[in-house]
Amino acid sequence: MLSLDAELGWGFHDLERLPIERVESGRRGWTVMLELLEEFDVPATWAVVGHLMLESCDGTHAQHPAPDGWFERERGEWQDRKDLRFGCDLVTALLESDVDHEFASHTFSHVLFGHPETDRELAAAELERSIEIATEWGCSFESFIYPRNAVGHRDVLAEYGVSAYRGWTPNREGARAVFDSMVRDQSLLVDPYIDDYGLVNVPASLFLFGFEGTARTLAESIWTDPMVALARRGIDEAVTHDGTFHMWLHPNNLTTERDDKRMRAILSYLERRRSESDLVVETMADVTRRVRQSRGVDGVSTRLNTEAKASWN
């Protein structure tokens, strides 16, 4: 399984210091990932920030109970950066893809649900606005990905009809992930389960861009790309064992052709292993349906189908 946090500028708008390369790579990475997933016919769960689906706004959002200054960057230095604030063209490309992707939510404005300053009212407003915009597009969502993996207000998700979320698995990125998997022989597989709110928690297995910078360059010079090695290991585990391997990334992680190469290597290996085994690629919606059915609860896939696409086209 592969999930993507699709956010453009909204993933960074609250930060004092911006990672400029990633901020400017969101559109590029989105397009590259769509092309690669089409090439290898891999369906993924795309969690989209709702604001990207607006055609325009004044940056005020007066009815939104966000804390003071939450939309300040949008009103200020990004006022003329529509490419960072809006993404109707990118969302349309996602919905028009020949691959059966799942459309999911990443909140309306990337509010961190797990932070203490995010109260229930704000969490509910983020979901309400996301549902409203999706409905205007003729879409709906049942899966939710927490911004920065800050899990919180699961009761609100359940109240608003969300069925699943991506849970956070500690030590599944960077050098620690490499050490645990390669040295300690720790499994990369996860077991999705129904939590105490009736939601299906689909834990993350591996963040595909957690080993970067000098460490990545050094590892590649004497060995190979560590993330490609871990992804292949996880895929192999999914072939031979009973469990789920859940990779994730942001489109803005693809800042150069070097990053494209990483994703191509992972997806091509996935394609090979899928062709020679009974490996199945699922979305979060597929996993949710499977887990619920195994527990005697009805589940309905929310993959985008022809009828859903036609409703907004």
Side-chain angles (χ1 to χ4, degrees), residues 22 25 29 207 209 212 248-256 259:
R22 286 187 59 195
S25 297
F207 175 45
F209 285 84
E212 307 306 306
W248 73 278
L249 73 153
H250 312 84
N252 59 50
N253 287 129
L254 278 68
T255 60
T256 66
D259 302 318

Side-chain angles (χ1 to χ4, degrees), residues 16-253:
E16 183 175 349
R17 298 182 63 181
L18 298 177
I20 298 301
E21 188 177 34
R22 286 187 59 195
V23 171
E24 299 295 343
S25 297
R27 287 181 161 271
R28 174 195 182 278
W30 190 311
T31 299
V32 170
M33 280 306 305
L34 276 179
E35 292 174 350
L36 286 172
L37 293 172
E38 284 202 15
E39 179 180 347
F40 295 102
D41 191 24
V42 173
T45 295
W46 287 74
V48 179
V49 168
H51 194 289
L52 299 179
M53 301 170 74
L54 299 177
E55 291 188 0
S56 64
C57 77
D58 60 7
T60 303
H61 305 289
Q63 303 304 314
H64 195 287
D68 292 341
W70 182 247
F71 295 104
E72 183 60 34
R73 184 162 261 128
E74 181 186 24
R75 291 193 297 266
E77 63 182 285
W78 283 0
Q79 184 175 5
D80 296 325
R81 292 299 306 271
K82 293 184 177 181
D83 58 315
L84 301 181
R85 298 162 54 202
F86 308 109
C88 290
D89 55 328
L90 296 174
V91 177
T92 297
L94 166 63
L95 298 176
E96 286 183 340
S97 173
D98 292 334
V99 180
D100 210 7
H101 295 303
E102 177 192 5
F103 172 81
S105 175
H106 199 38
T107 73
F108 169 67
S109 63
H110 210 260
V111 163
L112 307 182
F113 275 42
H115 282 205
E117 57 268 27
T118 300
D119 59 20
R120 196 178 195 282
E121 180 189 13
L122 177 54
E126 285 282 298
L127 278 175
E128 285 181 2
R129 192 70 182 104
S130 297
I131 292 170
E132 181 180 292
I133 296 169
T135 301
E136 291 173 358
W137 278 63
C139 298
S140 63
F141 60 84
E142 292 191 19
S143 298
F144 182 89
I145 290 180
Y146 286 100
R148 296 184 197 144
N149 298 296
V151 176
H153 295 290
R154 289 177 295 146
D155 58 323
V156 178
L157 265 61
E159 178 182 335
Y160 281 88
V162 173
S163 299
Y165 62 94
R166 188 182 70 205
W168 179 240
T169 307
N171 305 327
R172 290 300 178 88
E173 63 179 80
R176 183 58 183 268
V178 176
F179 178 81
D180 285 346
S181 179
M182 298 296 188
V183 179
R184 298 178 60 197
D185 198 31
Q186 180 174 300
S187 174
L188 287 164
L189 301 185
V190 295
D191 292 311
Y193 63 90
I194 300 176
D195 72 7
D196 50 344
Y197 289 96
L199 303 170
V200 176
N201 180 351
V202 188
S205 293
L206 180 67
F207 175 45
L208 293 177
F209 285 84
F211 199 99
E212 307 306 306
T214 303
R216 175 182 176 181
T217 300
L218 178 61
E220 289 178 341
S221 68
I222 61 177
W223 177 39
T224 187
D225 183 336
M227 292 296 101
V228 173
L230 284 188
R232 288 173 175 170
R233 182 180 177 91
I235 292 167
D236 288 342
E237 280 194 90
V239 171
T240 58
H241 296 79
D242 183 21
T244 299
F245 179 52
H246 184 181
M247 304 177 285
W248 73 278
L249 73 153
H250 312 84
N252 59 50
N253 287 129

